[in-house]
Amino acid sequence: MNDTSLPLILISNDDGYHAKGINSLIDMLKGMGNIIVCAPESARSGYSRAFSTTPLTMKHRRHYDHEDTTIDVWSCSGTPVDCIKMAYHRLCPKKADIIIGGINHGDNASTNLHYSGTVGIVMEGALKRIPSVAFSLCDYDDDADFEPMRPLVQKVVGRILKEGLPIYTCLNVNVPKDWNGETHITRMAHGHWRNEVEDRRHPKGTPYYWMAGYYQNDEPDETDTDAWAVANGFAAITPLTADQTDYQFIRENEAFLTQ
């Protein structure tokens, strides 16, 4: 690294180190700090916060300098969370100033965030008390156009580097394909997946099952949710917390729980 006093930015994703989204993100952040990328060697979508209990390998893919900053790209054979753990303990010369997941190819709003490897990355960051943010573009095309997100990514990352985030808090940012340029602070929409298991049959006659289905927003008219924002052309920034304690339940049931 040329200047270790600069912010250290740790990046990963769940689409693989080769994906256009993560490489667009690297380009957007050049010059904002020294960058270390550790991402899966192939797609690991839907891995959420899973980590491996089997041997892992890493490969150094490339290194290059940008003005006074450096960029190192590594791939890891494991999950997105494995990538963060490996980078944290083996690659980072100091504690990262920010952890970034993405840019994901596809929607990680509402209940989808619970399954997302992209969000799993930033939850791992929050658990390590490192300010973290996940970026997703609601476009599943491998060649999606991420360029309109550049000013938003730079603004959000710049503000986090300057001001930080509360302990255990991370941000989940979802941008619609046809973004109108405006941003809403939102909560997670209440929704669920329907018809999740699809019956199929192998050409040789053996039955098997495929995880499929479709998402249903259970509160489509509520305008304070991430799902509503994205559906109506707005980027949604949703604060999440790795502290999953239900404090409202404690407040409302304290007497009952202690008797």
Side-chain angles (χ1 to χ4, degrees):
M1 299 232 172
N2 293 339
D3 186 348
T4 57
S5 68
L6 293 171
L8 178 59
I9 301 170
L10 175 57
I11 297 174
S12 192
N13 73 349
D14 67 2
D15 293 311
Y17 77 95
H18 56 279
K20 184 177 180 180
I22 195 170
N23 285 288
S24 296
L25 178 63
I26 295 167
D27 184 69
M28 294 172 190
L29 299 178
K30 286 190 301 188
M32 294 186 70
N34 294 312
I35 297 173
I36 292 178
V37 178
C38 186
E41 61 187 20
S42 58
R44 299 287 191 272
S45 295
Y47 272 67
S48 187
R49 293 147 109 179
F51 65 91
S52 300
T53 57
T54 54
L56 298 172
T57 59
M58 287 195 301
K59 293 182 181 179
H60 189 219
R61 298 292 180 171
R62 61 184 183 273
H63 166 91
Y64 52 98
D65 298 319
H66 176 78
E67 298 175 351
D68 293 328
T69 61
T70 59
I71 301 169
D72 274 288
V73 179
W74 295 74
S75 67
C76 173
S77 60
T79 70
V81 167
D82 289 334
C83 292
I84 297 303
K85 291 180 181 292
M86 293 290 284
Y88 183 85
H89 292 288
R90 290 292 182 269
L91 301 178
C92 293
K94 64 175 184 177
K95 188 174 182 178
D97 294 282
I98 188 171
I99 291 176
I100 306 174
I103 300 171
N104 189 64
H105 292 248
D107 180 352
N108 278 320
S110 187
T111 54
N112 294 339
L113 67 86
H114 288 287
Y115 307 109
S116 165
T118 307
V119 176
I121 289 163
V122 299
M123 282 292 185
E124 182 67 19
L127 288 171
K128 288 178 164 48
R129 301 190 179 189
I130 298 173
S132 302
V133 56
F135 291 102
S136 300
L137 177 66
C138 303
D139 185 347
Y140 291 90
D141 193 324
D142 288 343
D143 195 35
D145 182 11
F146 297 92
E147 188 58 28
M149 292 181 61
R150 180 182 293 269
L152 177 62
V153 168
Q154 292 177 342
K155 179 179 178 180
V156 171
V157 171
R159 183 160 184 177
I160 293 174
L161 287 173
K162 181 179 179 181
E163 301 180 13
L165 289 171
I167 290 176
Y168 295 139
T169 294
C170 55
L171 301 181
N172 183 32
V173 180
N174 285 276
V175 178
K177 181 178 180 180
D178 298 314
W179 182 30
N180 63 18
E182 297 185 39
T183 303
H184 283 189
I185 302 297
T186 64
R187 64 176 174 86
M188 186 189 85
H190 299 168
H192 67 284
W193 281 80
R194 303 188 63 180
N195 301 331
E196 294 180 277
V197 181
E198 186 177 285
D199 297 327
R200 296 189 181 184
R201 188 168 292 275
H202 191 272
K204 293 185 178 181
T206 306
Y208 68 96
Y209 306 95
W210 193 264
M211 301 305 291
Y214 63 92
Y215 169 77
Q216 177 177 306
N217 184 354
D218 295 334
E219 44 180 4
D221 298 325
E222 298 297 325
T223 61
D224 63 340
T225 72
D226 51 5
W228 182 92
V230 168
N232 286 275
F234 300 96
I237 300 181
T238 308
L240 310 175
T241 178
D243 180 353
Q244 298 190 28
T245 306
D246 188 336
Y247 291 100
Q248 181 176 343
F249 185 89
I250 292 174
R251 289 192 298 270
E252 294 175 352
N253 297 275
E254 186 173 5
F256 169 78
L257 294 172
T258 56
Q259 289 177 357

